[in-house]
Amino acid sequence: MSTPDSPPSLYEAREPIFPRRVKGTFRTLKWWIMAVTLGIYYITPWLRWDRGPSLPDQAVLVDIANRRFFFFMIEIWPHEFYFVAGLLIMAGLGLFLFTSAAGRVWCGYACPQTVWTDLFILVERWIEGDRNARVRLHKQKWDAEKLRKRTIKWVVWFLIGLATGGAWVFYFTDAPTLLRDLVTGQAHPVAYITMLILTLTTFFFGGFAREQICIYACPWPRIQAAMMDEDTLTIGYRDWRGEPRGKLGTEGAGDCIDCMACVNVCPMGIDIRNGQQMACITCGLCIDACNDVMDKIGKPRDLIGYLALTDETRERTGLPAKSVWNHVFRPRTVLYTVLWAGIGVGLIVALFLRSPIDLNVTPVRNPTFVTLSDGGVRNAYDIRLRNMHGQDAQFAVSVTSDAVVSLALEGKEGLTVTVPANATMSQRIYLTAAPGTRAAGEDRTDVRIWVEELGTPNRVHHDTIFNGKEGGNG
C-alpha cells in the first residue's frame, strides 16, 4: 500500500476467477473437444501397430535413441525431417486460417492450456461446488472443511498432472515397458525428471496461473490481430440492442438486464460488454449464458454472439448480417486454405514417392588423391547406405562417368554389400583412373555413384568429383 510520500504501486495482485457452471451449445462443444483431445493424448501411446520383428510395435513413437519417428504405417528417418517441418508449417497455416475466419477459436477450444484448465475447473466444481460456494470457500478462514476440500482438490490436480507427464514420456519409448520400469524404480532418471517437471507445470498452469498464462505468457494474443480483419467472426455484444441496461420491465431499457451472467461464466474474468479485449479467448460461454437469460425473459437470443465488424455496421442500420459462409470464404481464408492444402498434398506425394534406399557420399580429403606405383590415380570415398526395409537387402554399387574409372569396395571381393534391415551402414570405396587417361590427368572429373537394390527396381545415385593429378600433389 502506497503512502503520500511514496510512488503508487504498478503491480496489481491477481483476483481469483471462479467461473459459474453454464449449459449450452458452446459449452457442450468444449466438453466434446476436451474429451476427444485428452482421450487422444492419454490413449495414443498404448496403441499397437505390427511392423515386423525388427521394429517397435508402438503405433506412435518418437524413437530418439534410433533417431526415427513412427506414426502407424509411416516411418520418418532423420534425413526426412522435411516431413516434420512441413507438418509444422501446416499447423501454423491452419492456425492462421482459423484465426482469420473465427478469431481465437484455437485458444477457446483446443489450446492445451484451455483444455487442462477446463478439466481442473471441473474437478474444482465437483469438490468445492459452483461459483458462489467457491467464492465463499475462498473468503472463508482456514478450518477443517477448507483444508479437507483444498487437499482433496490439490491431490486430484496432482494426479492429473502426473498422468499428463506420464503420458508424455510414453511417446518416447515403449509404453508398457516404461510403465513397469517407472513403478519398479528402474526407469532412467531423465524419465522421472521429465514427469516431475510436466506434473508441476500442469498443476501450476491449470490450477493457479490459468488466465495469466493466456494474458501474459502466451504471445498469440498479440500476434492474432495481424490475422484478423473486419470480416473475421469474433464474439461481440450488440449494444444497439442491449443499451441502455435496466431491470426487466423498465421503460426505455434495452434487452440487457445487467444480470452479470456473461461475466460470471467467463474463464478470463472479462466483461464482453466493454468491447473486444485481448484477454478474450472466444470460447462462447458468455453466449450460452446470455442466451439462457434471454430465453427466460422472453427476449431474442444472440444479444452476445459471433459477429464481425461488417455485421455490426449492417445491423445498426437495420440490415441483416452476412451469412457465416460469406465470412469464412473470402480471399484471405481461401489463400490460407490453398497454401495449407498445397503443402499437405506435397507431403503426401513425397511420402509415396520416397525411395526405401538412400545413398550419401563423402569424398576423403586427406589426401584428395593417391598416385599409385603404376602412375594411376586413386580417390577414396566414404559412402553411407541406408536400408529402410524391414529385412536385410543386397546393394550393388557402380559408377558412371564420361571418363574411364574403375570401382572397388574396401574389404569386399565384389561390388555388392549387404545392409541390415532398418539400418545405415558405412562403406569405403575406391575409384581408380589408369595412367595416361583423361581422369588421371585432369583437375576434376564428374562422376556418378549408383546404388541398386538387387531384385527390385530401387536405384539411387549421388554426383561427386574425381580429383586428378592437376588438382595437387597426392
Side-chain angles (χ1 to χ4, degrees):
M1 188 173 182
S2 61
T3 64
D5 297 326
S6 63
S9 173
L10 299 179
Y11 172 77
E12 183 179 0
R14 173 181 179 262
E15 289 291 333
I17 298 172
F18 303 97
R20 181 174 65 81
R21 184 171 180 263
V22 63
K23 293 182 179 180
T25 302
F26 297 103
R27 178 66 269 181
T28 301
L29 178 61
K30 281 171 65 67
W31 286 138
W32 276 105
I33 293 176
M34 184 182 79
V36 170
T37 53
L38 290 178
I40 292 173
Y41 177 74
Y42 289 123
I43 294 174
T44 298
W46 302 96
L47 301 178
R48 302 292 100 183
W49 190 269
D50 185 14
R51 301 186 180 91
S54 61
L55 291 175
D57 65 347
Q58 187 161 309
V60 179
L61 177 65
V62 183
D63 190 357
I64 295 179
N66 295 305
R67 296 186 299 174
R68 268 177 286 176
F69 170 57
F70 299 94
F71 185 82
F72 294 92
M73 76 291 292
I74 301 173
E75 179 182 352
I76 304 298
W77 289 65
H79 70 288
E80 298 175 318
F81 188 79
Y82 56 86
F83 284 111
V84 179
L87 289 175
L88 293 176
I89 294 173
M90 287 185 66
L93 287 174
L95 193 58
F96 295 166
L97 170 61
F98 284 110
T99 302
S100 176
R104 292 177 64 187
V105 288
W106 162 261
C107 301
Y109 296 93
C111 174
Q113 174 65 17
T114 295
V115 171
W116 265 278
T117 297
D118 267 359
L119 180 59
F120 276 41
I121 292 176
L122 178 63
V123 171
E124 186 175 73
R125 187 179 295 121
W126 281 343
I127 296 171
E128 297 181 353
D130 205 358
R131 183 178 188 276
N132 293 338
R134 300 205 306 279
V135 171
R136 286 195 302 268
L137 187 68
H138 174 71
K139 296 178 179 179
Q140 182 178 318
K141 293 182 178 180
W142 282 95
D143 55 15
E145 179 193 14
K146 186 170 183 176
L147 180 62
R148 174 177 58 83
K149 290 183 177 180
R150 288 292 169 87
T151 300
I152 295 173
K153 179 180 72 173
W154 291 339
V155 168
V156 176
W157 283 358
F158 184 83
L159 292 176
I160 294 173
L162 186 62
T164 302
W168 178 259
V169 298
F170 290 152
Y171 281 91
F172 295 87
T173 188
D174 184 66
T177 303
L178 179 58
L179 179 60
R180 184 183 65 247
D181 292 343
L182 288 170
V183 174
T184 58
Q186 298 177 356
H188 194 282
V190 172
Y192 291 108
I193 294 172
T194 303
M195 285 184 61
L196 178 61
I197 293 173
L198 290 174
T199 298
L200 295 179
T201 52
T202 303
F203 181 83
F204 176 71
F205 289 171
F208 299 96
R210 293 185 179 175
E211 79 285 349
Q212 303 289 293
I213 298 296
C214 302
I215 297 173
Y216 300 111
C218 180
W220 185 237
R222 294 156 181 82
I223 299 174
Q224 65 166 341
M227 305 296 119
M228 300 169 63
D229 56 31
E230 65 274 6
D231 273 312
T232 299
L233 288 169
T234 187
I235 294 178
Y237 167 63
R238 292 177 166 86
D239 58 353
W240 57 93
R241 250 190 64 188
E243 302 296 327
R245 305 171 197 172
K247 293 182 178 180
L248 184 63
T250 302
E251 186 177 354
D255 289 351
C256 179
I257 60 174
D258 208 17
C259 62
M260 301 297 288
C262 57
V263 179
N264 291 336
V265 301
C266 180
M268 305 300 291
I270 65 172
D271 189 342
I272 194 62
R273 297 172 298 176
N274 294 332
Q276 188 56 234
Q277 298 154 65
M278 185 184 70
C280 178
I281 59 174
T282 64
C283 62
L285 298 185
C286 54
I287 300 177
D288 287 337
C290 186
N291 282 344
D292 183 56
V293 173
M294 293 297 106
D295 290 342
K296 291 178 179 178
I297 64 175
K299 298 287 187 179
R301 302 184 115 209
D302 293 329
L303 176 60
I304 299 174
Y306 273 97
L307 72 155
L309 289 176
T310 53
D311 291 333
E312 177 184 356
T313 304
R314 293 171 62 88
E315 290 189 15
R316 284 184 183 277
T317 58
L319 296 174
K322 294 181 181 178
S323 69
V324 172
W325 297 113
N326 286 337
H327 287 297
V328 172
F329 293 104
R330 60 186 199 277
R332 174 182 291 210
T333 57
V334 170
L335 175 62
Y336 287 145
T337 303
V338 170
L339 291 174
W340 183 87
I343 295 174
V345 170
L347 291 177
I348 293 174
V349 171
L351 188 64
F352 281 100
L353 293 181
R354 65 177 181 171
S355 174
I357 66 174
D358 189 57
L359 167 68
N360 183 268
V361 178
T362 304
V364 177
R365 298 299 187 186
N366 189 21
T368 55
F369 70 89
V370 173
T371 303
L372 303 178
S373 59
D374 63 356
V377 177
R378 186 180 73 186
N379 284 201
Y381 305 82
D382 288 326
I383 65 173
R384 290 175 62 85
L385 305 169
R386 183 177 289 109
N387 175 18
M388 298 167 62
H389 290 299
Q391 61 276 344
D392 297 351
Q394 269 200 319
F395 289 179
V397 186
S398 60
V399 61
T400 58
S401 175
D402 292 338
V404 178
V405 291
S406 60
L407 170 69
L409 273 61
E410 185 177 74
K412 307 289 183 182
E413 293 186 1
L415 297 179
T416 61
V417 60
T418 300
V419 182
N422 295 290
T424 300
M425 191 182 80
S426 296
Q427 172 69 50
R428 176 158 291 192
I429 67 172
Y430 299 102
L431 296 183
T432 303
T437 60
R438 180 163 64 87
E442 290 187 352
D443 181 11
R444 298 158 61 92
T445 302
D446 294 330
V447 296
R448 174 171 290 179
I449 298 174
W450 290 87
V451 167
E452 179 182 359
E453 183 186 1
L454 297 181
T456 73
N458 299 323
R459 194 182 187 204
V460 294
H461 69 269
H462 189 103
D463 292 326
T464 185
I465 298 295
F466 182 89
N467 294 286
K469 290 183 179 180
E470 291 296 325
N473 295 320

PDB file of all heavy atoms in Angstrom, residues 198-223:
ATOM      1  N   LEU A 198       6.746 -31.849 -15.876  1.00  0.00           N
ATOM      2  CA  LEU A 198       5.443 -31.712 -16.518  1.00  0.00           C
ATOM      3  C   LEU A 198       4.302 -31.792 -15.512  1.00  0.00           C
ATOM      4  O   LEU A 198       3.276 -31.119 -15.669  1.00  0.00           O
ATOM      5  CB  LEU A 198       5.281 -32.788 -17.591  1.00  0.00           C
ATOM      6  CG  LEU A 198       6.156 -32.613 -18.834  1.00  0.00           C
ATOM      7  CD1 LEU A 198       6.020 -33.802 -19.767  1.00  0.00           C
ATOM      8  CD2 LEU A 198       5.803 -31.329 -19.571  1.00  0.00           C
ATOM      9  N   THR A 199       4.471 -32.611 -14.474  1.00  0.00           N
ATOM     10  CA  THR A 199       3.445 -32.694 -13.434  1.00  0.00           C
ATOM     11  C   THR A 199       3.291 -31.359 -12.727  1.00  0.00           C
ATOM     12  O   THR A 199       2.170 -30.855 -12.541  1.00  0.00           O
ATOM     13  CB  THR A 199       3.800 -33.790 -12.424  1.00  0.00           C
ATOM     14  OG1 THR A 199       3.835 -35.059 -13.075  1.00  0.00           O
ATOM     15  CG2 THR A 199       2.785 -33.843 -11.290  1.00  0.00           C
ATOM     16  N   LEU A 200       4.409 -30.750 -12.343  1.00  0.00           N
ATOM     17  CA  LEU A 200       4.361 -29.487 -11.603  1.00  0.00           C
ATOM     18  C   LEU A 200       3.869 -28.342 -12.485  1.00  0.00           C
ATOM     19  O   LEU A 200       3.103 -27.486 -12.018  1.00  0.00           O
ATOM     20  CB  LEU A 200       5.742 -29.170 -11.023  1.00  0.00           C
ATOM     21  CG  LEU A 200       6.260 -30.151  -9.962  1.00  0.00           C
ATOM     22  CD1 LEU A 200       7.643 -29.743  -9.480  1.00  0.00           C
ATOM     23  CD2 LEU A 200       5.292 -30.234  -8.785  1.00  0.00           C
ATOM     24  N   THR A 201       4.310 -28.302 -13.745  1.00  0.00           N
ATOM     25  CA  THR A 201       3.844 -27.220 -14.619  1.00  0.00           C
ATOM     26  C   THR A 201       2.355 -27.357 -14.925  1.00  0.00           C
ATOM     27  O   THR A 201       1.629 -26.351 -14.953  1.00  0.00           O
ATOM     28  CB  THR A 201       4.647 -27.208 -15.937  1.00  0.00           C
ATOM     29  OG1 THR A 201       4.638 -28.525 -16.523  1.00  0.00           O
ATOM     30  CG2 THR A 201       6.081 -26.787 -15.690  1.00  0.00           C
ATOM     31  N   THR A 202       1.887 -28.583 -15.152  1.00  0.00           N
ATOM     32  CA  THR A 202       0.446 -28.782 -15.375  1.00  0.00           C
ATOM     33  C   THR A 202      -0.338 -28.380 -14.131  1.00  0.00           C
ATOM     34  O   THR A 202      -1.382 -27.710 -14.225  1.00  0.00           O
ATOM     35  CB  THR A 202       0.155 -30.250 -15.729  1.00  0.00           C
ATOM     36  OG1 THR A 202       0.913 -30.632 -16.865  1.00  0.00           O
ATOM     37  CG2 THR A 202      -1.328 -30.452 -16.028  1.00  0.00           C
ATOM     38  N   PHE A 203       0.141 -28.797 -12.960  1.00  0.00           N
ATOM     39  CA  PHE A 203      -0.511 -28.462 -11.689  1.00  0.00           C
ATOM     40  C   PHE A 203      -0.594 -26.952 -11.503  1.00  0.00           C
ATOM     41  O   PHE A 203      -1.647 -26.411 -11.135  1.00  0.00           O
ATOM     42  CB  PHE A 203       0.282 -29.105 -10.546  1.00  0.00           C
ATOM     43  CG  PHE A 203      -0.285 -28.861  -9.179  1.00  0.00           C
ATOM     44  CD1 PHE A 203      -1.313 -29.650  -8.678  1.00  0.00           C
ATOM     45  CD2 PHE A 203       0.212 -27.841  -8.384  1.00  0.00           C
ATOM     46  CE1 PHE A 203      -1.836 -29.420  -7.412  1.00  0.00           C
ATOM     47  CE2 PHE A 203      -0.306 -27.604  -7.114  1.00  0.00           C
ATOM     48  CZ  PHE A 203      -1.330 -28.401  -6.634  1.00  0.00           C
ATOM     49  N   PHE A 204       0.489 -26.252 -11.801  1.00  0.00           N
ATOM     50  CA  PHE A 204       0.527 -24.806 -11.581  1.00  0.00           C
ATOM     51  C   PHE A 204      -0.243 -24.052 -12.661  1.00  0.00           C
ATOM     52  O   PHE A 204      -1.054 -23.168 -12.358  1.00  0.00           O
ATOM     53  CB  PHE A 204       1.983 -24.330 -11.533  1.00  0.00           C
ATOM     54  CG  PHE A 204       2.122 -22.839 -11.400  1.00  0.00           C
ATOM     55  CD1 PHE A 204       1.803 -22.197 -10.205  1.00  0.00           C
ATOM     56  CD2 PHE A 204       2.565 -22.081 -12.467  1.00  0.00           C
ATOM     57  CE1 PHE A 204       1.923 -20.821 -10.093  1.00  0.00           C
ATOM     58  CE2 PHE A 204       2.684 -20.702 -12.356  1.00  0.00           C
ATOM     59  CZ  PHE A 204       2.368 -20.076 -11.167  1.00  0.00           C
ATOM     60  N   PHE A 205       0.000 -24.387 -13.934  1.00  0.00           N
ATOM     61  CA  PHE A 205      -0.650 -23.660 -15.025  1.00  0.00           C
ATOM     62  C   PHE A 205      -2.165 -23.849 -15.010  1.00  0.00           C
ATOM     63  O   PHE A 205      -2.924 -22.901 -15.168  1.00  0.00           O
ATOM     64  CB  PHE A 205      -0.102 -24.114 -16.380  1.00  0.00           C
ATOM     65  CG  PHE A 205       1.304 -23.677 -16.657  1.00  0.00           C
ATOM     66  CD1 PHE A 205       1.987 -24.164 -17.752  1.00  0.00           C
ATOM     67  CD2 PHE A 205       1.956 -22.787 -15.824  1.00  0.00           C
ATOM     68  CE1 PHE A 205       3.290 -23.775 -18.012  1.00  0.00           C
ATOM     69  CE2 PHE A 205       3.253 -22.381 -16.064  1.00  0.00           C
ATOM     70  CZ  PHE A 205       3.929 -22.880 -17.171  1.00  0.00           C
ATOM     71  N   GLY A 206      -2.620 -25.099 -14.833  1.00  0.00           N
ATOM     72  CA  GLY A 206      -4.049 -25.370 -14.870  1.00  0.00           C
ATOM     73  C   GLY A 206      -4.769 -25.022 -13.591  1.00  0.00           C
ATOM     74  O   GLY A 206      -5.953 -24.687 -13.612  1.00  0.00           O
ATOM     75  N   GLY A 207      -4.051 -25.085 -12.448  1.00  0.00           N
ATOM     76  CA  GLY A 207      -4.713 -24.858 -11.172  1.00  0.00           C
ATOM     77  C   GLY A 207      -4.635 -23.444 -10.650  1.00  0.00           C
ATOM     78  O   GLY A 207      -5.592 -22.957 -10.036  1.00  0.00           O
ATOM     79  N   PHE A 208      -3.505 -22.756 -10.914  1.00  0.00           N
ATOM     80  CA  PHE A 208      -3.303 -21.458 -10.289  1.00  0.00           C
ATOM     81  C   PHE A 208      -3.079 -20.324 -11.299  1.00  0.00           C
ATOM     82  O   PHE A 208      -3.617 -19.238 -11.109  1.00  0.00           O
ATOM     83  CB  PHE A 208      -2.108 -21.535  -9.326  1.00  0.00           C
ATOM     84  CG  PHE A 208      -2.295 -22.524  -8.213  1.00  0.00           C
ATOM     85  CD1 PHE A 208      -1.781 -23.803  -8.312  1.00  0.00           C
ATOM     86  CD2 PHE A 208      -3.019 -22.184  -7.075  1.00  0.00           C
ATOM     87  CE1 PHE A 208      -1.967 -24.728  -7.291  1.00  0.00           C
ATOM     88  CE2 PHE A 208      -3.212 -23.109  -6.051  1.00  0.00           C
ATOM     89  CZ  PHE A 208      -2.681 -24.381  -6.165  1.00  0.00           C
ATOM     90  N   ALA A 209      -2.269 -20.572 -12.342  1.00  0.00           N
ATOM     91  CA  ALA A 209      -1.981 -19.487 -13.288  1.00  0.00           C
ATOM     92  C   ALA A 209      -3.161 -19.221 -14.215  1.00  0.00           C
ATOM     93  O   ALA A 209      -3.543 -18.080 -14.444  1.00  0.00           O
ATOM     94  CB  ALA A 209      -0.726 -19.820 -14.087  1.00  0.00           C
ATOM     95  N   ARG A 210      -3.712 -20.248 -14.790  1.00  0.00           N
ATOM     96  CA  ARG A 210      -4.910 -20.191 -15.636  1.00  0.00           C
ATOM     97  C   ARG A 210      -4.875 -19.034 -16.635  1.00  0.00           C
ATOM     98  O   ARG A 210      -4.071 -19.047 -17.559  1.00  0.00           O
ATOM     99  CB  ARG A 210      -6.158 -20.139 -14.745  1.00  0.00           C
ATOM    100  CG  ARG A 210      -6.372 -21.431 -13.970  1.00  0.00           C
ATOM    101  CD  ARG A 210      -7.672 -21.436 -13.190  1.00  0.00           C
ATOM    102  NE  ARG A 210      -7.838 -22.700 -12.475  1.00  0.00           N
ATOM    103  CZ  ARG A 210      -8.822 -22.958 -11.641  1.00  0.00           C
ATOM    104  NH1 ARG A 210      -9.761 -22.049 -11.416  1.00  0.00           N
ATOM    105  NH2 ARG A 210      -8.897 -24.143 -11.041  1.00  0.00           N
ATOM    106  N   GLU A 211      -5.728 -18.017 -16.441  1.00  0.00           N
ATOM    107  CA  GLU A 211      -5.835 -16.932 -17.414  1.00  0.00           C
ATOM    108  C   GLU A 211      -4.557 -16.109 -17.502  1.00  0.00           C
ATOM    109  O   GLU A 211      -4.311 -15.419 -18.502  1.00  0.00           O
ATOM    110  CB  GLU A 211      -7.027 -16.034 -17.084  1.00  0.00           C
ATOM    111  CG  GLU A 211      -6.823 -15.023 -15.967  1.00  0.00           C
ATOM    112  CD  GLU A 211      -6.834 -15.651 -14.580  1.00  0.00           C
ATOM    113  OE1 GLU A 211      -7.195 -16.835 -14.461  1.00  0.00           O
ATOM    114  OE2 GLU A 211      -6.493 -14.953 -13.614  1.00  0.00           O
ATOM    115  N   GLN A 212      -3.702 -16.172 -16.474  1.00  0.00           N
ATOM    116  CA  GLN A 212      -2.463 -15.411 -16.503  1.00  0.00           C
ATOM    117  C   GLN A 212      -1.539 -15.907 -17.616  1.00  0.00           C
ATOM    118  O   GLN A 212      -0.806 -15.127 -18.222  1.00  0.00           O
ATOM    119  CB  GLN A 212      -1.749 -15.541 -15.152  1.00  0.00           C
ATOM    120  CG  GLN A 212      -2.584 -15.088 -13.965  1.00  0.00           C
ATOM    121  CD  GLN A 212      -2.757 -13.584 -13.924  1.00  0.00           C
ATOM    122  OE1 GLN A 212      -1.804 -12.842 -13.711  1.00  0.00           O
ATOM    123  NE2 GLN A 212      -3.982 -13.124 -14.129  1.00  0.00           N
ATOM    124  N   ILE A 213      -1.567 -17.218 -17.877  1.00  0.00           N
ATOM    125  CA  ILE A 213      -0.764 -17.771 -18.961  1.00  0.00           C
ATOM    126  C   ILE A 213      -1.228 -17.186 -20.292  1.00  0.00           C
ATOM    127  O   ILE A 213      -0.419 -16.782 -21.138  1.00  0.00           O
ATOM    128  CB  ILE A 213      -0.863 -19.308 -18.984  1.00  0.00           C
ATOM    129  CG1 ILE A 213      -0.312 -19.906 -17.686  1.00  0.00           C
ATOM    130  CG2 ILE A 213      -0.136 -19.874 -20.195  1.00  0.00           C
ATOM    131  CD1 ILE A 213       1.149 -19.649 -17.467  1.00  0.00           C
ATOM    132  N   CYS A 214      -2.539 -17.116 -20.488  1.00  0.00           N
ATOM    133  CA  CYS A 214      -3.086 -16.610 -21.752  1.00  0.00           C
ATOM    134  C   CYS A 214      -2.794 -15.121 -21.939  1.00  0.00           C
ATOM    135  O   CYS A 214      -2.521 -14.667 -23.052  1.00  0.00           O
ATOM    136  CB  CYS A 214      -4.594 -16.843 -21.800  1.00  0.00           C
ATOM    137  SG  CYS A 214      -5.081 -18.579 -21.638  1.00  0.00           S
ATOM    138  N   ILE A 215      -2.862 -14.370 -20.858  1.00  0.00           N
ATOM    139  CA  ILE A 215      -2.713 -12.923 -20.965  1.00  0.00           C
ATOM    140  C   ILE A 215      -1.248 -12.493 -21.036  1.00  0.00           C
ATOM    141  O   ILE A 215      -0.877 -11.641 -21.852  1.00  0.00           O
ATOM    142  CB  ILE A 215      -3.407 -12.224 -19.770  1.00  0.00           C
ATOM    143  CG1 ILE A 215      -4.913 -12.503 -19.804  1.00  0.00           C
ATOM    144  CG2 ILE A 215      -3.141 -10.723 -19.788  1.00  0.00           C
ATOM    145  CD1 ILE A 215      -5.654 -11.986 -18.579  1.00  0.00           C
ATOM    146  N   TYR A 216      -0.404 -13.083 -20.193  1.00  0.00           N
ATOM    147  CA  TYR A 216       0.968 -12.593 -20.058  1.00  0.00           C
ATOM    148  C   TYR A 216       2.025 -13.491 -20.693  1.00  0.00           C
ATOM    149  O   TYR A 216       3.023 -12.998 -21.217  1.00  0.00           O
ATOM    150  CB  TYR A 216       1.303 -12.405 -18.571  1.00  0.00           C
ATOM    151  CG  TYR A 216       0.399 -11.426 -17.884  1.00  0.00           C
ATOM    152  CD1 TYR A 216      -0.514 -11.838 -16.921  1.00  0.00           C
ATOM    153  CD2 TYR A 216       0.436 -10.072 -18.211  1.00  0.00           C
ATOM    154  CE1 TYR A 216      -1.366 -10.934 -16.291  1.00  0.00           C
ATOM    155  CE2 TYR A 216      -0.413  -9.167 -17.602  1.00  0.00           C
ATOM    156  CZ  TYR A 216      -1.309  -9.605 -16.639  1.00  0.00           C
ATOM    157  OH  TYR A 216      -2.146  -8.705 -16.024  1.00  0.00           O
ATOM    158  N   ALA A 217       1.857 -14.813 -20.628  1.00  0.00           N
ATOM    159  CA  ALA A 217       2.911 -15.716 -21.102  1.00  0.00           C
ATOM    160  C   ALA A 217       2.781 -16.067 -22.577  1.00  0.00           C
ATOM    161  O   ALA A 217       3.788 -16.268 -23.256  1.00  0.00           O
ATOM    162  CB  ALA A 217       2.919 -16.999 -20.267  1.00  0.00           C
ATOM    163  N   CYS A 218       1.564 -16.142 -23.074  1.00  0.00           N
ATOM    164  CA  CYS A 218       1.348 -16.574 -24.456  1.00  0.00           C
ATOM    165  C   CYS A 218       1.480 -15.387 -25.411  1.00  0.00           C
ATOM    166  O   CYS A 218       0.855 -14.343 -25.202  1.00  0.00           O
ATOM    167  CB  CYS A 218      -0.032 -17.213 -24.604  1.00  0.00           C
ATOM    168  SG  CYS A 218      -0.375 -17.779 -26.285  1.00  0.00           S
ATOM    169  N   PRO A 219       2.278 -15.525 -26.485  1.00  0.00           N
ATOM    170  CA  PRO A 219       2.429 -14.404 -27.423  1.00  0.00           C
ATOM    171  C   PRO A 219       1.280 -14.280 -28.430  1.00  0.00           C
ATOM    172  O   PRO A 219       1.153 -13.257 -29.090  1.00  0.00           O
ATOM    173  CB  PRO A 219       3.732 -14.758 -28.160  1.00  0.00           C
ATOM    174  CG  PRO A 219       3.779 -16.255 -28.137  1.00  0.00           C
ATOM    175  CD  PRO A 219       3.144 -16.667 -26.819  1.00  0.00           C
ATOM    176  N   TRP A 220       0.447 -15.330 -28.539  1.00  0.00           N
ATOM    177  CA  TRP A 220      -0.553 -15.339 -29.605  1.00  0.00           C
ATOM    178  C   TRP A 220      -1.556 -14.185 -29.524  1.00  0.00           C
ATOM    179  O   TRP A 220      -1.944 -13.637 -30.571  1.00  0.00           O
ATOM    180  CB  TRP A 220      -1.261 -16.678 -29.635  1.00  0.00           C
ATOM    181  CG  TRP A 220      -2.226 -16.822 -30.781  1.00  0.00           C
ATOM    182  CD1 TRP A 220      -3.560 -17.098 -30.715  1.00  0.00           C
ATOM    183  CD2 TRP A 220      -1.927 -16.677 -32.177  1.00  0.00           C
ATOM    184  NE1 TRP A 220      -4.104 -17.148 -31.969  1.00  0.00           N
ATOM    185  CE2 TRP A 220      -3.118 -16.886 -32.886  1.00  0.00           C
ATOM    186  CE3 TRP A 220      -0.758 -16.386 -32.876  1.00  0.00           C
ATOM    187  CZ2 TRP A 220      -3.176 -16.814 -34.267  1.00  0.00           C
ATOM    188  CZ3 TRP A 220      -0.825 -16.314 -34.267  1.00  0.00           C
ATOM    189  CH2 TRP A 220      -2.029 -16.526 -34.935  1.00  0.00           C
ATOM    190  N   PRO A 221      -2.031 -13.764 -28.343  1.00  0.00           N
ATOM    191  CA  PRO A 221      -2.978 -12.639 -28.327  1.00  0.00           C
ATOM    192  C   PRO A 221      -2.423 -11.384 -28.978  1.00  0.00           C
ATOM    193  O   PRO A 221      -3.179 -10.581 -29.525  1.00  0.00           O
ATOM    194  CB  PRO A 221      -3.229 -12.415 -26.829  1.00  0.00           C
ATOM    195  CG  PRO A 221      -2.927 -13.719 -26.198  1.00  0.00           C
ATOM    196  CD  PRO A 221      -1.813 -14.309 -27.001  1.00  0.00           C
ATOM    197  N   ARG A 222      -1.116 -11.219 -28.952  1.00  0.00           N
ATOM    198  CA  ARG A 222      -0.508 -10.021 -29.530  1.00  0.00           C
ATOM    199  C   ARG A 222      -0.238 -10.175 -31.017  1.00  0.00           C
ATOM    200  O   ARG A 222       0.023  -9.205 -31.714  1.00  0.00           O
ATOM    201  CB  ARG A 222       0.794  -9.713 -28.779  1.00  0.00           C
ATOM    202  CG  ARG A 222       0.540  -9.321 -27.328  1.00  0.00           C
ATOM    203  CD  ARG A 222       1.744  -9.590 -26.450  1.00  0.00           C
ATOM    204  NE  ARG A 222       1.455  -9.232 -25.054  1.00  0.00           N
ATOM    205  CZ  ARG A 222       0.803 -10.028 -24.200  1.00  0.00           C
ATOM    206  NH1 ARG A 222       0.414 -11.217 -24.603  1.00  0.00           N
ATOM    207  NH2 ARG A 222       0.555  -9.647 -22.975  1.00  0.00           N
ATOM    208  N   ILE A 223      -0.269 -11.427 -31.515  1.00  0.00           N
ATOM    209  CA  ILE A 223       0.007 -11.686 -32.926  1.00  0.00           C
ATOM    210  C   ILE A 223      -1.286 -11.799 -33.729  1.00  0.00           C
ATOM    211  O   ILE A 223      -1.324 -11.476 -34.917  1.00  0.00           O
ATOM    212  CB  ILE A 223       0.826 -12.989 -33.073  1.00  0.00           C
ATOM    213  CG1 ILE A 223       2.163 -12.846 -32.343  1.00  0.00           C
ATOM    214  CG2 ILE A 223       1.061 -13.337 -34.528  1.00  0.00           C
ATOM    215  CD1 ILE A 223       2.963 -14.133 -32.316  1.00  0.00           C
TER     216      ILE A 223
END
